[in-house]
Amino acid sequence: VVASMDALTSAVPDDGVLRLGHDLLRRRLLDDGRMRPQSPSRLETLMVSPLAWSLSVFGVEPVTWAPEGLNVMVAGTIAHDVLEFLFPKDVALPDHDQIEAEVPELLASAIRKYAPFLQRSIWAVEREGLLRDIRTAAHAWRNTLAGLDARVIDNEIGLQGEALGILLRGRADCLLQ
């Protein structure tokens, strides 16, 4: 059966806003009936696209296949790992010579953990680019910390709380004093 275009367009309100009549945050509840905690990134998705958020909650997101590759997510994960180990908690800031010396091994370790395909010789140019970018970021972060007279108190801190009746959870990459 083919629906007419009039029948399809009549289902959309004149103002273009679909009213679902349900609180989307109440789709996923804890055992005690409270809403599950939401991360800031999930709440951002809900604000930008309730449909994308709902598809995620119901587990019906598209699964795409792609060959292994260096993208912004992979590069960010690798850089984050290197910087976390280069600037550990309660340790004096590395000097610029230490950064130059330590970043290559920390990068190799992060690649082994998160993107072993980058170890192959065909990825040499990308590895060199990552090394250069991470070194630049590490020197800049060291200069920022030194300029603020700051020290790293902790890395990867779990956060939780409540705002506007919504349970929140997330992580902070770094806590400084």
Side-chain angles (χ1 to χ4, degrees):
V1 175
V2 177
S4 72
M5 194 55 141
D6 290 337
L8 292 175
T9 56
S10 68
V12 177
D14 290 336
D15 65 2
V17 177
L18 294 175
R19 289 167 183 78
L20 301 176
H22 296 283
D23 181 348
L24 293 178
L25 290 174
R26 297 220 177 267
R27 295 299 301 171
R28 297 176 63 229
L29 301 176
L30 294 170
D31 291 338
D32 64 8
R34 294 181 304 145
M35 290 182 281
R36 287 186 184 272
Q38 300 293 317
S39 68
S41 59
R42 288 187 56 82
L43 289 173
E44 179 183 36
T45 301
L46 177 59
M47 289 187 312
V48 171
S49 175
L51 176 60
W53 184 89
S54 296
L55 292 175
S56 172
V57 167
F58 296 123
V60 291
E61 294 174 296
V63 177
T64 56
W65 179 88
E68 292 178 316
L70 182 61
N71 58 42
V72 69
M73 294 296 290
V74 172
T77 298
I78 290 170
H80 182 276
D81 191 75
V82 170
L83 293 173
E84 185 175 324
F85 285 101
L86 191 58
F87 298 94
K89 71 179 185 173
D90 298 326
V91 174
L93 292 177
D95 62 32
H96 291 288
D97 291 336
Q98 283 176 285
I99 290 171
E100 289 295 317
E102 291 180 26
V103 166
E105 182 50 42
L106 290 171
L107 174 61
S109 174
I111 286 173
R112 282 190 300 274
K113 278 192 278 190
Y114 299 108
F117 66 90
L118 285 174
Q119 296 176 93
R120 297 194 323 251
S121 61
I122 194 167
W123 292 95
V125 171
E126 288 81 0
R127 277 194 314 275
E128 285 302 312
L130 269 174
L131 178 62
R132 180 187 62 247
D133 293 346
I134 292 171
R135 273 186 172 148
T136 300
H139 287 295
W141 184 234
R142 191 241 179 259
N143 290 341
T144 299
L145 293 175
L148 294 170
D149 194 27
R151 69 180 184 87
V152 176
I153 295 174
D154 207 351
N155 288 308
E156 290 299 318
I157 304 109
L159 303 171
Q160 59 187 3
E162 183 177 330
L164 305 172
I166 299 171
L167 294 176
L168 302 172
R169 64 170 171 74
R171 298 195 71 72
D173 290 332
C174 185
L175 182 62
L176 302 176
Q177 178 183 34

